[in-house]
Each structure stands twice: as C-alpha cells, then as structure tokens.
C-alpha cells in the first residue's frame, strides 16, 4: 500500500522534521518544477478555502496538474455512487489524492481502497495532519524551536481536529499544555490519556484571561457550528471567547497567536495589527508545507 498521511501519527518525529526542513527550502524558492507530469486530485466533500487552495497552489508550483471537485453535489455521489467506488476511480486518474470528508475515519478508509497515496485534508472531528505540519512549521519559525513550548489551546477542543492532531505531534517535543474551553467543549479523554501515558503536563480552564501571560503559543480555534447536532447547545457557547488587543498587555515578547482559520468573533480585528498576530502568515506557510508533503509522499524529495 502506498504511504499516506491520514493521522499525524503516521509520520515519525524524523519524518515530521524532514518535511519541515523541505518546506523551508520551498519557502526560499517557491517554484520548483520537479512534479512535472504528475496529477494531484483534490476532492473536497466539505467546504474549505485555505486547505484546498494551498494544496492546489502547492501542486501547481511543483509543476503538477490538478483535478478534483469542491462540491460533491456535482459528482456521481449524488446518484448514489459509494465513497469506495469514487476513490477507486480517482486513484486510476491521479498520482495522489487530497481528500476532505465530514466523516471520521473516511480518510483512513480511502487510503485502504486507493492505489495511490492519500492525504487527509480533514475528516470530521478526527484529524487534520497537514494543518498540524504547517502549525509546527509556524511554531518553529516564530519560536526558533519546537522543544519545550508552552501552548494554550483555546475554543472547541472537543470537535477541533486541528488541536487533536497538533497535541499528538507536539508530544515529540516536551510541551506543556493549557486547555481553555467551555465545560461542554473540553479536550476528549482519549487525548488527555495520551498525554498522561507520556507524562506530558496539561491544565484545564474556562477562563481565557487566566493563562495568556504564561504562554508561548496561543492557539485559538473557532466554535464550529457544523459539528453541533443541537443548535441550542451551539447558541450557548458560540460567543464564549473574544480575544482583543487590550487583553495582550503583559504577554511574553515571543508569544504568537495562531489560528487555523476561518475565524469568527474569537479574535477581534484589532489583534491583527499587533506583533503577536501570526495567523495569516501561518496560512501562507501552509503552501510551503503542502509542497513538502506532496513531494515526500511521491518520493520526489
Ligand atoms: N484551516 C483550514 O482547514 O481552513 P479551511 O477550512 O479554509 O481549509
């Protein structure tokens, strides 16, 4: 079976560092044509701006061609075709598949039926490993290291696939976690067990202001309406956090704010103009990192 990236745990620490190093090379030289003749399929069953466009840009910058869809409603899925048959067809056409799907486990399943590598571009509340690699890249760029980071994850820690993947990846680098969320959206027990097994410290709080000053990375996330089955529950928590520039008085000089985006009200616009905001640059980094991921899985770098 071709090597895929479904969970961040599919990559060793060495593979993670290798991808970050290659991404740094791509940042220095954005257009390298060595995937000429390759086809990258981007198939998105859920909305996306950054992930899809940065994967497509990455493929184009590497000289590959892109096929795919961003709305499964325009495909034969609408006529009842199964995910299995869809993946088998696409793997006949493309050299690698980038897939986003709302169902947890769908990406792993796709990798089992595909004859080419599959990159999980997000499967429900489960994993978003390419986001994690760009988050790690952004942490290393802003902090000069990955080891020993104090990271405060804020928002929807229950359904947030980006925080789940990032937590696992950072476990290689002796982090210390603060989990800031409303009671209803706490980090799931399986991830806390994962940290306990590795003796990695974490604290939980509901108060955003409590741990802003003792943090290297403030990792903000959106409360995701699309993950709630009960709209009343969403209404209760949707505005729970709103970071503004005033709240950043007294933070560490090296502190940077990351967010996988899109954001709603959880980061006020006045934060964008502070030296702590890094989220737009973080999204740009996604392009370099995704160039490195595609190259690595196609054995070209
Ligand atoms: N960060 C992220 O996954 O953004 P999109 O949903 O726009 O792809």
């Amino acid at each position: 079976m071709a090597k895929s990236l479904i969970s961040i745990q599919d990559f060793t620490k060495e593979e993670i560092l290798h991808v970050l190093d290659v991404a740094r090379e791509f940042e220095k030289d954005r257009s390298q044509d060595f995937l000429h003749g390759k086809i990258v399929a981007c198939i998105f069953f859920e909305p996306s701006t950054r992930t899809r466009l940065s994967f497509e840009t990455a493929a184009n910058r590497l000289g590959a061609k892109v096929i795919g869809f961003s709305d499964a409603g325009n495909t034969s899925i609408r006529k009842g075709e199964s995910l299995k048959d869809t993946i088998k067809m696409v793997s006949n056409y493309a050299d690698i598949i980038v897939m986003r799907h709302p169902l947890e486990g769908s990406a792993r399943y796709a990798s089992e039926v595909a004859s080419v590598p599959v990159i999980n571009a997000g499967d429900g509340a489960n994993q978003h490993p390419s986001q994690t690699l760009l988050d790690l890249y952004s942490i290393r760029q802003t902090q000069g290291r990955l080891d020993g980071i104090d990271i405060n994850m804020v928002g929807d820690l229950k359904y947030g696939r980006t925080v789940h993947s990032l937590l696992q990846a950072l476990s290689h680098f002796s982090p210390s976690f603060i989990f800031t969320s409303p009671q209803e959206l706490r980090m799931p027990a399986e991830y806390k067990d994962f940290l306990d097994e590795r003796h990695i410290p974490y604290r939980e709080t509901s108060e955003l202001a409590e741990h802003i000053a003792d943090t290297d990375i403030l990792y903000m996330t959106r409360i995701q309406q699309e993950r709630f089955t009960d709209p009343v529950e969403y209404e209760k928590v949707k505005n729970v956090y709103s970071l503004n520039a005033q709240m950043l008085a007294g933070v560490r000089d090296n502190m940077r704010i990351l967010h996988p985006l899109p954001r709603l009200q959880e980061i006020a616009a006045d934060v964008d103009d502070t030296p702590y905001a890094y989220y737009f640059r973080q999204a740009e980094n996604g392009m370099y990192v995704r160039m490195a991921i595609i190259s690595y899985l196609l054995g070209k770098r």
Side-chain angles (χ1 to χ4, degrees):
M1 199 161 59
K3 183 167 177 72
S4 291
L5 176 58
I6 305 303
S7 158
I8 195 63
Q9 293 187 285
D10 293 340
F11 275 14
T12 63
K13 179 179 179 181
E14 289 67 34
E15 286 176 302
I16 288 172
L17 292 172
H18 171 73
V19 167
L20 302 192
D21 289 344
V22 173
R24 184 80 186 111
E25 294 304 311
F26 284 131
E27 183 175 352
K28 289 180 200 154
D29 183 358
R30 288 163 153 232
S31 294
Q32 300 193 32
D33 205 28
F34 57 82
L35 289 189
H36 183 79
K38 297 288 183 189
I39 306 280
V40 177
C42 291
I43 57 174
F44 278 64
F45 297 81
E46 238 191 13
S48 168
T49 298
R50 278 147 292 275
T51 310
R52 186 172 66 82
L53 293 180
S54 62
F55 263 117
E56 292 188 5
T57 308
N60 280 302
R61 288 194 179 280
L62 291 166
K65 289 197 163 58
V66 177
I67 61 168
F69 53 82
S70 56
D71 178 0
N74 288 331
T75 72
S76 288
I77 299 261
R78 194 149 171 210
K79 303 175 199 160
E81 188 163 40
S82 66
L83 179 62
K84 180 179 181 180
D85 288 0
T86 304
I87 296 297
K88 278 185 162 299
M89 291 310 306
V90 177
S91 56
N92 286 340
Y93 300 144
D95 297 290
I96 189 165
I97 298 172
V98 181
M99 183 178 96
R100 172 171 289 187
H101 198 284
L103 285 182
E104 293 175 33
S106 54
R108 180 70 66 197
Y109 178 67
S111 73
E112 286 164 4
V113 297
S115 55
V116 298
V118 175
I119 300 172
N120 179 9
D123 62 330
N126 187 31
Q127 286 267 324
H128 194 351
S130 68
Q131 176 72 44
T132 296
L133 289 163
L134 80 88
D135 292 342
L136 291 176
Y137 186 84
S138 300
I139 292 170
R140 196 167 74 168
Q141 287 294 98
T142 59
Q143 307 298 311
R145 68 188 205 283
L146 285 171
D147 286 302
I149 297 293
D150 295 327
I151 180 164
N152 185 346
M153 294 176 159
V154 181
D156 179 359
L157 307 186
K158 181 177 180 183
Y159 301 116
R161 57 195 175 199
T162 64
V163 292
H164 300 160
S165 294
L166 183 57
L167 176 152
Q168 291 179 330
L170 280 172
S171 70
H172 295 297
F173 303 100
S174 307
S176 170
F177 288 99
I178 294 157
F179 298 139
T180 305
S181 70
Q183 195 67 40
E184 299 87 334
L185 297 175
R186 287 275 195 249
M187 183 64 78
E190 64 182 285
Y191 294 100
K192 290 189 275 192
D193 291 346
F194 176 93
L195 296 181
D196 287 338
E197 283 159 19
R198 289 158 180 78
H199 308 291
I200 296 172
Y202 62 85
R203 282 172 286 173
E204 293 184 287
T205 178
S206 303
E207 297 302 319
L208 175 56
E210 195 176 330
H211 287 295
I212 294 182
D214 51 3
T215 284
D216 298 316
I217 294 291
L218 188 59
Y219 194 93
M220 301 294 294
T221 65
R222 175 175 62 95
I223 308 294
Q224 304 172 95
Q225 183 174 12
E226 66 272 26
R227 304 280 176 240
F228 285 76
T229 44
D230 183 349
V232 177
E233 291 302 310
Y234 173 68
E235 286 300 317
K236 272 197 236 166
V237 292
K238 68 176 186 184
N239 294 325
V240 67
Y241 300 124
S242 184
L243 183 71
N244 61 52
Q246 236 182 346
M247 295 167 76
L248 299 174
V251 299
R252 294 177 182 169
D253 288 345
N254 64 304
M255 193 278 268
R256 291 293 177 272
I257 302 160
L258 303 187
H259 191 312
L261 303 178
R263 69 164 153 184
L264 300 178
Q265 87 309 315
E266 64 274 8
I267 301 180
D270 65 358
V271 176
D272 298 357
D273 300 325
T274 71
Y276 308 108
Y278 193 76
Y279 26 93
F280 294 120
R281 187 59 207 279
Q282 176 189 2
E284 178 189 328
N285 291 341
M287 181 173 66
Y288 313 124
V289 170
R290 287 171 173 135
M291 289 172 80
I293 296 169
I294 296 171
S295 305
Y296 179 63
L297 292 178
L298 287 177
K300 289 288 181 183
R301 186 89 183 189

